[in-house]
RNA sequence: GGUUCCGUAGCUCAACUGGAUAGAGCAACUGACUUCUAAUCAGUAGGUUGAGGGUUCGAGUCCUUCCGGAAUCGCCA
């Protein structure tokens, strides 16, 4: 149930009648017609911009359209009053019984707020995709939470979602991992080792060294790299992926597919993807212009194999081969996305770190070219997380191997707090994460504020249960504060739809904060006005009164569910 | 220099993707605990939306020129 969608449907029906009666010309598009809560509650319950949006294409004036439309809307039983305001807004006041209907819907139907917006379309959400060379750190953590919540949001909205991790196990960085692991292996045999520039000194590889010793004994000692590199590479990446999966799991993230970059090499996959582009005339040998302005010192013109990404919206064409003939990183990525298209996904979402911003256009261009524009590809960039402790910035140094890992964060803040906090900012805005603040139990901390609202309701329900109150789905309320809360509940399906369309799960977090605020406000009003308390002397009255907070708990719980956060039953 | 993102109250951020008088929290000030947990609530105050120009019924949002910040820019992934 989505009250806003229902009323919008009513508006469109009325408009179609007007077309039939020649009050509006035929062939108008109603796609811009919106039904929204007005910014100022005194204007009514809902407002539509229909008259203003249609005035121009209909070659009419907004007031005239509004007057006719208002008359038609008035005839519907759900509408109590219609006003035309300002330049042509139509403000609607809805029959009060509708708000009770919202509460009932939330209590009765499984999954209030769910929709079939996605219509079962297959959508691939690729996220995290951290190099398998070490533990994942805070930056990836934000990407992980964002991608997982976005996936849940899309599932909730009727998409068939695949969560996917692209393992970068094909490049030079896994050779570095193998060499670093070999050093730890020697160390496990009691050798003194040093970690030269260009190796990973982090102690997370100590255990890998031990495990290598257990598996290979001393058989690899003093052997040339050619004899052990490939084997250790596999051994070490497997170990890293195992660790990464475990970390992700502690955050509540589970992937459906782990896709290996390595599996694209030597299997003809890259070649066939590029062949596909070549057949479309998008691959050529050429020389790139140097970057405008600041020219690199060692720039010299070079002929390379290029992808004509400019045909699909990129600024310059992109090389797919290095000068030594090997593939650039872009080539397997093209093949990977070609594979996604071939697996039949209707939509693709990539979630990258902000440092990959320059990569967005070429990736979209590749997908556009490979699918002939049939598969939309949205790339979401996740900005940095700035860590603080009591307002003091945290120092991170990757070179010294002392970066803050997902593990550190989850250990200190917990899964639920971490997830919620990571979603309290738009994905493309930097996020401040203060270890002290996120655990604070105050209104300043949105996680707590929302959880507290849920816990308060649970407390009421426990008391009601002790008193043997029967749970019924028909609410009873008439006060402004109660109606205001019910209206907020009615907005949930709409907010979910907006968030799903925009690929912005953080909207759910904001919504929950506002909903919690409504609940706390109503709660406090019960102090002065006993009629607003949920627990009444009369048991039947209590039954009817607690329907509203119960519905609120259902919605908070559903919203938190999308974010992957457990609702709190009580605060301690 | 090119590209992308960002700039909104003292601070941290919203603003339903072009809608009505730009909203919350923190900090400041005032008030409310014999209660369904005051871990909360109600109120006061705080603004030339970085600057200028343009598009139209209407701009924080779109186009443009500046200013300031971040990321990135052919053989790193």
């Amino acid at each position: 149930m989505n009250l806003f969608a229902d009323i919008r449907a009513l508006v469109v029906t009325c408009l179609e009648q007007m077309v039939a009666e020649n009050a509006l010309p035929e062939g108008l598009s109603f796609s811009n017609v919106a039904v929204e809560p007005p910014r100022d509650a005194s204007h009514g319950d809902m407002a539509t911009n229909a008259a203003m949006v249609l005035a121009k294409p209909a070659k009419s004036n907004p007031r005239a359209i509004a007057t006719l439309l208002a008359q038609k809307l008035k005839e519907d039983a759900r509408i109590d009053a219609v006003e035309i305001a300002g330049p042509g807004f139509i403000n609607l006041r809805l029959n009060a019984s509708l708000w009770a209907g919202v509460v009932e819907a939330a209590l009765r139907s499984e999954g209030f707020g769910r929709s079939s917006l996605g219509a079962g379309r297959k959508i691939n959400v690729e996220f995290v995709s951290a190099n398998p060379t070490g533990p994942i750190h805070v930056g990836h953590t934000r990407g992980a939470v964002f991608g997982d919540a976005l996936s849940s949001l899309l599932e909730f909205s009727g998409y068939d979602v695949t969560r996917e991790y692209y393992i970068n196990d094909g490049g030079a960085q896994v050779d570095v991992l193998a060499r670093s692991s070999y050093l730890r292996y020697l160390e496990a045999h009691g050798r003194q080792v040093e970690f030269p520039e260009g190796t990973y000194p982090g102690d997370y590889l100590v255990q890998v060294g031990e495990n290598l010793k257990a598996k290979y004994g001393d058989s690899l000692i003093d052997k040339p790299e050619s004899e052990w590199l490939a084997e250790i590479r596999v051994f070490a990446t497997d170990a890293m992926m195992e660790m990464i999966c475990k970390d992700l799991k502690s955050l509540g993230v589970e992937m459906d597919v782990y896709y290996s970059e390595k599996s694209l090499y030597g299997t003809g996959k890259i070649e066939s993807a590029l062949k596909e582009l070549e057949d479309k005339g998008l691959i050529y040998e050429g020389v790139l212009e140097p970057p405008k302005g600041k020219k690199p010192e060692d720039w010299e013109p070079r002929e390379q194999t290029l992808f004509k990404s400019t045909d699909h919206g990129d600024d310059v064409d992109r090389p797919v081969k290095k000068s030594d003939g090997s593939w650039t990183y872009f080539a397997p990525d093209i093949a990977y996305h070609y594979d996604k298209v071939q697996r039949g996904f209707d939509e693709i979402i990539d979630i990258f770190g902000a440092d990959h911003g320059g990569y967005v256009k070429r990736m979209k261009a590749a997908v556009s070219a490979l699918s002939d524009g049939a598969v939309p590809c949205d790339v979401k960039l996740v900005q940095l997380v700035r860590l603080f402790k009591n307002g003091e910035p945290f120092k991170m140094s990757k070179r010294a191997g002392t970066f803050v890992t997902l593990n550190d964060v989850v250990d200190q803040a917990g899964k639920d707090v971490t997830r919620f906090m990571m979603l309290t900012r738009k994905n493309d805005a930097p996020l401040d994460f203060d270890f002290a603040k996120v655990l604070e139990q105050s209104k300043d901390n949105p996680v707590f504020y929302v959880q507290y609202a849920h816990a308060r309701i649970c407390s009421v329900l426990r008391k009601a249960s002790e008193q043997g109150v029967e749970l019924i789905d028909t609410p009873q309320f008439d006060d402004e504060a109660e109606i205001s809360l019910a209206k907020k509940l009615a907005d949930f399906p709409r907010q979910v739809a907006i968030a799903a369309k925009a690929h912005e799960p953080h909207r759910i977090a904001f919504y929950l904060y506002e909903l919690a605020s409504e609940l706390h406000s109503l709660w406090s009003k019960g102090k002065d006005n006993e009629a607003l308390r949920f627990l009444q002397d009369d048991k039947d009255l209590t039954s009817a009164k607690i329907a509203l907070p119960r519905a609120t708990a259902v919605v908070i719980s559903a919203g938190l569910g999308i974010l992957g956060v457990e609702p709190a039953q009580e605060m301690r």
Side-chain angles (χ1 to χ4, degrees):
Chain A
M1 171 196 188
N2 183 340
L3 200 50
F4 288 88
D6 293 351
I7 299 301
R8 183 179 183 279
L10 170 66
V11 170
V12 170
T13 306
C14 293
L15 289 169
E16 278 163 356
Q17 276 177 31
M18 288 167 67
V19 173
E21 293 162 11
N22 289 320
L24 284 174
E26 290 194 27
L28 284 180
S29 162
F30 299 143
S31 61
N32 286 332
V33 172
V35 172
E36 305 172 333
R39 191 166 276 186
D40 187 337
S42 69
H43 290 144
D45 300 320
M46 291 187 186
T48 178
N49 59 357
M52 284 179 294
V53 172
L54 296 176
K56 198 177 231 177
K59 299 197 173 68
S60 175
N61 85 69
R63 300 288 300 200
I65 298 176
T67 308
L68 268 173
L69 180 57
Q71 277 171 11
K72 295 203 174 294
L73 288 169
K74 244 178 248 174
E75 288 167 20
D76 193 277
R78 290 168 288 183
I79 312 288
D80 272 4
V82 184
E83 292 160 20
I84 300 168
F89 282 101
I90 301 175
N91 291 326
L92 306 173
R93 283 176 207 282
L94 304 191
N95 191 282
S97 66
L98 290 180
W99 307 120
V102 168
V103 171
E104 284 185 57
L107 290 173
R108 279 196 186 138
S109 61
E110 279 296 308
F112 176 70
R114 279 186 187 273
S115 70
S116 51
L117 193 77
R121 284 163 67 81
K122 284 184 70 179
I123 189 163
N124 183 289
V125 184
E126 181 209 328
F127 58 109
V128 191
S129 299
N131 289 344
T133 55
I136 49 182
H137 55 76
V138 266
H140 299 125
T141 305
R142 187 174 180 192
V145 170
F146 177 80
D148 192 49
L150 174 57
S151 298
S152 302
L153 173 61
L154 292 170
E155 276 168 352
F156 201 72
S157 303
Y159 284 89
D160 177 6
V161 181
T162 299
R163 292 170 168 83
E164 189 154 322
Y165 186 119
Y166 181 57
I167 309 170
N168 291 124
D169 55 2
Q173 77 283 2
V174 283
D175 289 342
V176 174
L177 173 73
R179 288 186 198 107
S180 309
S181 302
Y182 184 73
L183 290 172
R184 290 297 185 186
Y185 163 76
L186 295 179
E187 194 180 53
H189 280 283
R191 299 282 183 98
Q192 279 288 330
V193 295
E194 272 180 36
F195 287 85
E197 198 65 25
T199 55
Y200 302 132
D203 57 12
Y204 54 88
L205 289 175
V206 171
Q207 189 59 47
V208 175
E210 292 287 347
N211 294 350
L212 281 169
K213 181 184 171 186
K215 182 173 180 190
Y216 293 99
D218 56 8
S219 66
L220 301 178
I221 294 178
D222 296 329
K223 292 283 163 60
E225 187 175 290
S226 58
E227 284 184 32
W228 49 259
L229 187 70
E231 267 190 81
I232 293 188
R233 197 165 49 201
V234 171
F235 189 91
T237 42
D238 284 352
M240 292 302 103
M241 281 313 295
E242 198 178 310
M243 180 175 68
I244 288 170
C245 290
K246 205 173 136 224
D247 284 354
L248 287 176
K249 200 165 181 181
S250 75
L251 193 63
V253 176
E254 293 198 50
M255 298 289 174
D256 300 308
V257 175
Y258 289 89
Y259 197 100
S260 161
E261 178 195 353
K262 206 173 58 186
S263 73
L264 296 165
Y265 293 92
T267 53
K269 290 209 171 191
I270 297 177
E271 291 77 4
S272 74
L274 290 176
K275 177 76 169 40
E276 180 73 18
L277 292 177
E278 202 170 352
D279 290 347
K280 295 177 195 293
L282 294 170
I283 299 287
Y284 68 102
E285 300 295 321
V287 180
L288 280 178
E289 294 284 314
K292 287 178 183 157
K294 194 185 65 187
K295 197 186 276 191
E297 296 277 321
D298 57 350
W299 178 271
E300 48 186 67
R302 207 174 356 241
E303 189 171 272
Q304 290 171 289
T305 306
L306 300 167
F307 164 46
K308 204 164 184 228
S309 54
T310 46
D311 272 14
H312 289 268
D314 202 355
D315 307 309
V316 288
D317 292 339
R318 305 293 179 175
V320 294
K321 273 187 182 175
K322 298 176 192 172
S323 56
D324 66 2
S326 64
W327 301 115
T328 62
Y329 179 71
F330 188 37
D333 241 356
I334 291 172
Y336 174 46
H337 282 77
Y338 186 47
D339 188 75
K340 287 187 197 174
V341 170
Q342 286 187 316
R343 275 186 277 156
F345 289 105
D346 300 307
E347 289 179 47
I348 291 173
I349 300 180
D350 286 346
I351 294 161
F352 294 161
D355 54 343
H356 285 57
Y359 213 69
V360 174
K361 279 189 180 175
R362 79 188 69 170
M363 212 60 258
K364 286 187 176 179
V367 173
S368 167
L370 290 165
S371 72
D372 293 315
V375 178
C377 175
D378 188 17
V379 180
K380 305 295 276 187
L381 295 179
V382 177
Q383 264 292 354
L384 296 174
V385 177
R386 291 184 299 228
L387 291 171
F388 295 86
K389 190 143 200 174
N390 295 315
E392 291 292 308
F394 242 59
K395 290 274 192 297
M396 282 221 279
S397 163
K398 206 167 182 180
R399 206 170 308 153
T402 60
F403 44 75
V404 177
T405 64
L406 180 151
N407 234 317
D408 298 335
V409 179
V410 173
D411 271 2
Q412 290 194 44
K415 176 199 109 179
D416 288 339
V417 168
T418 304
R419 290 189 64 119
F420 196 102
M421 285 308 297
M422 294 266 175
L423 291 165
T424 52
R425 271 312 87 101
K426 234 181 311 200
N427 58 286
D428 55 9
L431 173 88
D432 289 351
F433 191 99
D434 190 314
F435 282 106
K437 223 171 178 180
V438 298
L439 293 174
E440 201 173 279
Q441 302 207 327
S442 78
K443 193 178 173 179
D444 197 17
N445 179 355
V447 198
F448 170 78
Y449 189 74
V450 172
Q451 291 284 31
Y452 184 38
H454 190 266
R456 271 186 152 170
I457 297 168
C458 289
S459 162
V460 166
L461 295 181
R462 276 193 298 270
K463 292 224 157 96
S465 164
E466 283 165 20
Q467 293 168 19
V469 170
E470 193 192 347
L471 297 181
I472 60 168
D473 295 342
T474 316
Q476 183 180 326
F477 55 81
D478 49 22
D479 189 89
E480 262 318 303
E482 294 168 315
I483 292 171
S484 175
L485 176 56
K487 284 181 184 173
K488 203 74 199 172
L489 295 176
D491 201 29
F492 180 61
R494 187 174 151 273
Q495 289 293 344
V496 170
I498 291 169
K501 276 183 207 158
H503 299 163
E504 292 182 340
H506 75 275
R507 288 176 180 279
I508 304 298
F510 283 122
Y511 167 79
L512 289 174
Y513 186 85
E514 288 168 17
L515 178 61
S517 177
E518 289 283 353
L519 189 275
H520 288 309
S521 174
L522 174 58
W523 181 287
S524 300
K525 287 204 170 73
K527 274 187 296 185
D528 299 329
N529 181 356
E530 293 196 10
L532 293 182
R533 294 190 190 170
F534 304 132
L535 298 178
Q536 301 284 336
D537 291 337
D538 182 88
K539 273 191 192 174
D540 290 341
L541 184 56
T542 302
S543 287
K545 278 285 177 194
I546 59 173
L548 178 60
R550 274 171 58 218
T552 307
V554 166
V555 171
I556 291 178
S557 189
L560 288 176
I562 292 172
L563 306 184
V565 174
E566 298 287 328
Q569 305 299 313
E570 56 186 333
M571 307 307 292
R572 286 186 180 275

